[in-house]
Structure formats: C-alpha cells, structure tokens
Amino acid sequence: MTSAVTSDKSARPGYGQLLRTPGALGFVLPGFAARLPFGMLTISILLLVQHTTGSYGSAGIVAAVTGISMALSAPLMGIFTDRYGQSAVLVPVVLAHAAAVTGLAALALADANVWVLALAAVPAGASVPQVGPMVRARWAARLEGSPLLPTAAAFESVTDEFTFVVGPVLATALCTGVHPAAGLVTEATLTLLGGLLFAARRASQPTTHAPSATGERRAFALSHPGLRVLILAFLGIGAVFGGMQVSLAAFSNEIGNPGANGLLYGVFAAGNMIAGIAMGAVAWKIGPRRRLILGYAGLTAAASVLWAANSVILLGALGLVVGLFIAPALITGYTMVEQLVPANARTEAFTWLTGSIAFGQAIAVILAGRLTDAHGSSYGFLVPMAATALALATLLALRAKLAPKPAKAASRIVNASASASASSATASAPGAEAAGPAGVRPAAAPSQAPRNRVNERGMGHRVPVTVD
C-alpha cells in the first residue's frame, strides 16, 4: 500500500484533483457512456409493457423479473470480473444484453402473454453489464489509501444519478413521442456501443485475482458481515427507485399528462445528483457509520410523506427532498466497502450492492404496480415509506458490524509503531537523517496510537499518517 502523508493540501480533495489522477479520464468517459442506458431500462420496460397490456401490474411483473435477474447475476459477474478481468467479462455480456433486450421488445410488440414476457426478461436482466462497479473498482485500485477515494465515491454517485436524470427523461420522450419500443431499442444500442468502448480501455483495469495465478486464498465478499448489513440497507434505496418509477408514471397518467413522468423523475434524480456533488466537497467531522445512519433516517422521513402529494409542484418538491437524502446513504455505503472488504473482492462487493438496489427496485415495482392498479398512485408511494423504515431499523440493529475489522486497524497500529521505532533508532545513530524510511515523516510515539494515528479527511475516510 502506498504511503499517505497528511497535509493541508489534501485536507479537502476536490473533483478537479480527482480527475487529474493519471489515466482517470480514460475510463471515466467511456464508463459514463456505458452506464447511461441503465437509467433507461426499467422505465422503458414499464412504458412498453403497460402500453401493450394496459396494466401497470403486468408491466411491474416484467420489470421486476428483469431487476431480480440482474440482482442474482451481478455478484457472479463481479466474481468472474475479479478473477478474469473486466474486458473478458464485459464483451460477451454486452453482446448478450443487446440481443436479449431486442427480443423482449419484439415479443411485447407481438402482444405476447405477460408470462412469456417475464421469461424473456430473465436474460435481459441477467446480462445487464455491471459497468458502475467496474468503474468504482478502477478508482479503488488507482486511489488505494488516498484521501481522494471518498471523493471518487461521491463523483461516481453523481455520475450514476446523472444517468437517472437523463435516462428516464430520454426513455419517456422516446416511448411517448417516437414509438413505445424506442426506449428499449435505444437502450440496447447504447449499451452495446458504450460497453465495447469501455472494455477497450484495458490499461486502467484492476489486477485480476485468479487463485491459480496468485496462489492466495480468496474470500468471497459476502463473507464480510459489514457488507451484508450494507446489502440490507441498499434494498431500501432500491425500493425508493422502484416505487418512484411506478408511482410517478401512474400519477402523471392520472392527471392526464404522461410526459410529466420524465420531468418528475428527473427532479427526483437531480436532488440526488446535487447532494452527491455537495458530499464530495465537504470535509466531514463525523464517521461514515454515523453519517450512513443519519442519511438513512432523513431518507426514511422524506419518503414517508410522498403519498400525501396531490399536485405536480408538491410531488416534485417532495421528490427533490427524497433525492437529496439518497446521496448521503448511497455514497457513504459505497465508500465503506474500502474499509470492510479486501481489494481482491471489491468488484464483487460493489456488484452485491448494485444487485441489492436492483432487487429492492424489482420488489418495489411489483408491489407498487399492484397497489397502483387497485387503489391509485398514492398507495404506490407507500412502498418506499415501508421499505426505508424497515431498512433503517435493520441498520440501527446491526450497526456494530459496520466497524472496520479489528485486525486491519491493529495492523495499521503495529506498522505505525514499527515505523516509529525504526525512526527513533535511525535518529539516535550518529549522522542519521531526521526523515523516516522512504522519506516518510516520523510517526508519533506509540503512546499516542491509535487516537492520533489517523486524521479525518473528506467523507470520513481515515487517512494513515505513516506508511501502512
């Protein structure tokens, strides 16, 4: 691990400094192009199937099967990616996805039975490329031990949410203004082109961790209890996305303005994007675990009043507030992976979180679709309220598991103490220089560890004062 010496200059790392990381733009820009279609997938399925069947319940089933398939396949895709490399996994996946989505659109236009559509949705969801986790894994590999890592997590959340600002608006415009299947066809085309472009950027890929090559024993990401808690918490975030997509679409139809759906969802996603930008610019004085709980509490409170909205202006304002509270929970959760999961399982860990969001979204789409068909859009908004409340209760009950592993913290203290001893021995020798090994500033006395061994930087990231 590289050394990280604290300085005033790194106290508040910003996006400009992040993007000046050597090679960053080479994977950030293709990564954005490859993940943009993800924001179009669910809403395109909902609008197409609702158009051909006349039922939000049926549309919700097909969209949910897509999300569940993605949630189940994402961790497996992450495992293969960690072992064999991103390009080796991504190229066949985007080819399969483009074919599967095109087939689903053709079946929907042929008025296929809802269960046939659900069956076709399985490969469409299972082949969704996990570009977001792959980009995050590239940042983690580039910024190992750097105070810029939380800034990268915030930047990725902003990028994700920008896709959810542009994606639903674009999909809605295509489905309502061009053709009901235009959203899915565009999604398949952009996924194929963007995915192949991202896969071609091989130089920035993280090192693979195939056991046969390294000889190391690899633990699965799910074996770490902290990650399991984050997975449960992210189910609630996914339920917000799913419940909002169905309920906003139904609300727009109820008021006789279907085009308002894209605008309302765009405002909701814009709140998330704005908060994400702010998260990366703030030097937090509270730890990530407390920040996650506080952010989730705000999200639960905001989601609990959506059902009462009775106008576009009020619903837009409430959706904006919900979006503002998603970013703190989402960004902090992704940032904590670096503390909770070793490097050789991080892509898998990120895909578990992405899959959890997709699974929560899928279940919410089913429940909200049925409630909306039976009682109207206001009942669909009860799904995000209930899901976030349950996830928050789980998070509070299991918060102790979110602390970094004691062995990791102890290792840092031992290494820091060893560095201090070496520095003292060198300083006591005749003609010795004041600097420590490799030019690193001498560590403080062991009696000061561990409290003064780290300083809070960025989003609660704990930055080592000496070499790890």
Side-chain angles (χ1 to χ4, degrees):
M1 186 179 295
T2 59
S3 63
V5 181
T6 61
S7 67
D8 293 338
K9 188 174 182 179
S10 64
R12 294 175 66 119
Y15 294 112
Q17 184 181 354
L18 176 71
L19 293 177
R20 286 193 295 271
T21 301
L25 292 179
F27 66 84
V28 167
L29 296 179
F32 172 75
R35 75 174 78 177
L36 175 61
F38 183 73
M40 303 173 62
L41 182 59
T42 302
I43 191 68
S44 295
I45 292 174
L46 281 170
L47 294 175
L48 174 59
V49 177
Q50 194 278 332
H51 172 81
T52 58
T53 65
S55 169
Y56 282 104
S58 297
I61 289 173
V62 179
V65 170
T66 305
I68 292 172
S69 300
M70 191 199 92
L72 295 176
S73 70
L76 185 61
M77 203 177 296
I79 293 172
F80 288 149
T81 300
D82 280 328
R83 292 189 177 185
Y84 305 115
Q86 295 185 358
S87 295
V89 173
L90 193 56
V91 171
V93 163
V94 296
L95 292 171
H97 182 73
V101 169
T102 302
L104 175 60
L107 287 171
L109 293 175
D111 295 325
N113 181 278
V114 63
W115 299 114
V116 174
L117 295 178
L119 185 63
V122 173
S127 60
V128 171
Q130 298 301 307
V131 178
M134 290 180 183
V135 175
R136 285 182 167 90
R138 294 193 188 205
W139 279 123
R142 285 284 172 131
L143 302 174
E144 181 78 21
S146 167
L148 282 171
L149 192 57
T151 306
F155 179 81
E156 286 307 305
S157 179
V158 172
T159 304
D160 281 340
E161 290 318 307
F162 187 76
T163 67
F164 280 102
V165 172
V166 177
V169 176
L170 177 60
T172 300
L174 290 169
C175 291
T176 59
V178 179
H179 189 276
L184 276 184
V185 172
T186 303
E187 189 274 342
T189 303
L190 292 177
T191 297
L192 179 62
L193 297 178
L196 293 177
L197 182 62
F198 180 76
R201 309 299 297 185
R202 296 174 181 268
S204 57
Q205 291 187 47
T207 304
T208 57
H209 296 276
S212 59
T214 64
E216 63 180 322
R217 183 179 180 183
R218 182 188 184 279
F220 290 103
L222 201 58
S223 65
H224 301 276
L227 179 65
R228 296 197 293 268
V229 177
L230 291 178
I231 290 171
L232 295 175
F234 274 42
L235 286 171
I237 295 175
V240 174
F241 288 127
M244 292 287 280
Q245 285 181 337
V246 172
S247 302
L248 289 176
F251 177 84
S252 299
N253 281 337
E254 288 172 1
I255 64 173
N257 185 11
N261 174 41
L263 175 63
L264 287 170
Y265 197 86
V267 170
F268 157 68
N272 197 348
M273 186 171 63
I274 292 169
I277 294 172
M279 287 286 291
V282 173
W284 294 96
K285 296 186 181 297
I286 59 176
R289 180 170 54 175
R290 182 180 299 178
R291 192 164 62 252
L292 177 64
I293 292 173
L294 291 176
Y296 220 106
L299 175 61
T300 302
S304 298
V305 295
L306 286 169
W307 63 271
N310 55 9
S311 69
V312 172
I313 294 177
L314 180 57
L315 185 56
L318 291 176
L320 179 68
V321 175
V322 172
L324 290 172
F325 279 109
I326 282 183
L330 198 66
I331 293 171
T332 306
Y334 275 120
T335 302
M336 293 176 74
V337 169
E338 192 265 343
Q339 299 178 356
L340 300 171
V341 179
N344 65 353
R346 280 187 195 145
T347 304
E348 180 196 347
F350 289 134
T351 54
W352 273 110
L353 296 184
T354 303
S356 177
I357 293 174
F359 190 81
Q361 181 178 356
I363 299 302
V365 163
I366 292 177
L367 296 177
R370 290 187 174 276
L371 288 172
T372 296
D373 277 344
H375 305 291
S377 61
S378 60
Y379 281 80
F381 287 119
L382 295 177
V383 175
M385 179 184 73
T388 52
L390 287 172
L392 176 61
T394 303
L395 191 60
L396 289 170
L398 301 177
R399 62 187 181 277
K401 297 184 181 297
L402 292 173
K405 297 182 70 172
K408 185 175 182 179
S411 175
R412 288 183 174 180
I413 295 170
V414 168
N415 290 337
S417 299
S419 177
S421 299
S423 299
S424 299
T426 303
S428 63
E433 295 182 1
V440 177
R441 192 176 302 167
S447 61
Q448 294 177 338
R451 178 176 296 276
N452 296 329
R453 183 55 43 210
V454 291
N455 292 328
E456 294 291 347
R457 288 292 182 265
M459 295 166 47
H461 187 66
R462 299 177 69 79
V463 184
V465 176
T466 57
V467 179
D468 266 350

